[in-house]
Amino acid sequence: MGKHDDQLAQATQLSQMLIDVVERAKSDFAEIAASFGLPVPLARAICLLDTPAPMRDIAARLVCERSYVTSLADELEQRGLITRVPGEDRRVKLLTLTTAGTELRDQIAAAVAVRSLVFRRLDATQRRQLEPLLEQLLTD
Amino acid sequence: MGKHDDQLAQATQLSQMLIDVVERAKSDFAEIAASFGLPVPLARAICLLDTPAPMRDIAARLVCERSYVTSLADELEQRGLITRVPGEDRRVKLLTLTTAGTELRDQIAAAVAVRSLVFRRLDATQRRQLEPLLEQLLTD
DNA sequence: TATTGTTATACTCTATAACTATA
DNA sequence: TATAGTTATAGAGTATAACAATA
C-alpha cells in the first residue's frame, strides 16, 4: 500500500471517529430532550429561538422545509412554549418564546453545554488545539 | 461572564462545529450514495460487508434492530448486490456481497475516502494533531 | 409575479411484537 | 429455554404540491 493509500485510510479512520463523537453527542442531546419531555425536533427548534425569528429563517437553520416548521410551531404553541407574533411584513410570523419557553430553552442549553464531550473530556489546551482544525475542516 | 462560563461557551461552539463537519460529511455520503442509485441505509449497509457477516452483527454495527436488517437485506438481494449464505449454525445467514456488490462497495468506499473533508482539508501534520483529540473525546 | 406560511398527503427510516426454525 | 432471522404493523420525522394572503 502506497503513501497515498495510507493517508486515505488514516483520513477514513479519523472521519469515522468524528462521526462517532457526534453520534454520541446526538444521543446525549436526545436524552436531555427526553428528560424535559420533548421530542428531539422540538428541542432543536426551541434552542434556535434565543431571539424571535421568522419561520422561514428557522427552516433555513434547521435545513428543512417551511411546511415542517409549521408543524413544529403548531406543537410548540400547543405546549405553550412559543407564540406566533406577526411581523411588519404581514406575511411573516415571528416565532417567539413565551416565559415558560425561555426558561425551558435556558435549561436545555445549560444541560447540553455541561454534558458536552468537548467540555467534559478536553482541557483548555486541547480545546485550543481543536479549534483551528475544525475551522480548517469548515472553510469553503 | 466568569471563566467557567467562557469555557462552557467555547465548548458549545466547538461542539457545534463538530456537528457541522459531520453534517457535511453525511450530506457528501448521501450524494455519493445517490450517484450510485442507492438510498443511504443501503449504502451504509453495503459498506460494512467487506467480509460476509451474520445479520445479527450487521444490526449491532448499524445500531438497529434485527428486523430492520431483514428489510435491508431484502432490498440488497433484490438489487443483486448480496446473497444470504447459510452459516454452519443453520439459524445464521451470512450476508455476502455478489461480484456486482463488491464492485459497487469498492467504488463507494473509494469515493467516500477521496471526498472526505479530513482527507481534502487537512495535511498530514494536522491529521496527526486531530487524532489524539478525537481519541480523548471517545475514551470511556 | 414572487414570497410567507398553511394544509393535506405521502414517503423514508426505523422500532415493536409475535412468530419460525434451529440450537 | 435461548437465539437468528422473519413478518406485519406502527410510529417518528420529514418532504411535496397545491393553496391563501400579502408584497
Side-chain angles (χ1 to χ4, degrees), chain B residues 15-91:
Chain B
S15 299
Q16 189 55 56
M17 292 172 79
L18 274 168
I19 290 169
D20 290 345
V21 169
V22 170
E23 290 298 312
R24 175 67 184 273
K26 288 197 171 179
S27 148
D28 287 348
F29 185 81
E31 258 186 49
I32 292 168
S35 79
F36 288 106
L38 284 179
V40 167
L42 295 191
R44 284 219 299 150
I46 209 180
C47 283
L48 298 182
L49 288 175
D50 200 358
T51 190
M55 297 173 71
R56 156 122 302 234
D57 291 2
I58 298 299
R61 293 170 70 187
L62 291 177
V63 192
C64 72
E65 293 301 313
R66 305 191 298 307
S67 65
Y68 184 48
V69 176
T70 294
S71 70
L72 292 176
D74 288 348
E75 265 282 344
L76 289 171
E77 209 170 32
Q78 271 184 12
R79 289 166 183 252
L81 299 174
I82 66 154
T83 55
R84 287 164 154 101
V85 176
E88 22 181 320
D89 179 338
R90 282 180 21 231
R91 290 171 301 183

Side-chain angles (χ1 to χ4, degrees), chain A residues 54-121:
Chain A
M55 296 173 71
R56 157 126 292 243
D57 291 2
I58 298 300
R61 292 170 71 187
L62 290 176
V63 192
C64 73
E65 294 301 313
R66 304 192 297 305
S67 65
Y68 184 47
V69 176
T70 294
S71 70
L72 293 176
D74 287 349
E75 265 281 345
L76 290 171
E77 210 171 32
Q78 272 185 13
R79 289 165 184 252
L81 299 173
I82 65 154
T83 56
R84 286 163 155 103
V85 175
E88 23 179 321
D89 179 336
R90 281 176 25 227
R91 290 172 302 185
V92 169
K93 293 174 190 171
L94 289 299
L95 300 191
T96 306
L97 291 177
T98 60
T99 306
T102 302
E103 203 168 297
L104 188 52
R105 195 206 68 90
D106 290 348
Q107 288 178 337
I108 293 172
V112 167
V114 167
R115 288 186 49 175
S116 85
L117 290 176
V118 171
F119 181 70
R120 280 169 35 220
R121 301 260 225 260

Side-chain angles (χ1 to χ4, degrees), chain A residues 118-119 121-136, chain B residues 3 6-7 10-11 13-15 17 126 129-130 133 137:
Chain A
V118 171
F119 181 70
R121 301 260 225 260
L122 301 185
D123 60 32
T125 303
Q126 292 170 323
R127 288 199 286 267
R128 265 195 304 278
Q129 289 173 340
L130 181 58
E131 186 168 18
L133 296 172
L134 293 179
E135 268 162 11
Q136 186 78 30
Chain B
K3 198 173 187 177
D6 278 349
Q7 294 201 340
Q10 187 208 19
Q13 193 204 331
L14 291 176
S15 299
M17 292 172 79
Q126 292 170 322
Q129 289 173 342
L130 182 57
L133 295 173
L137 284 169

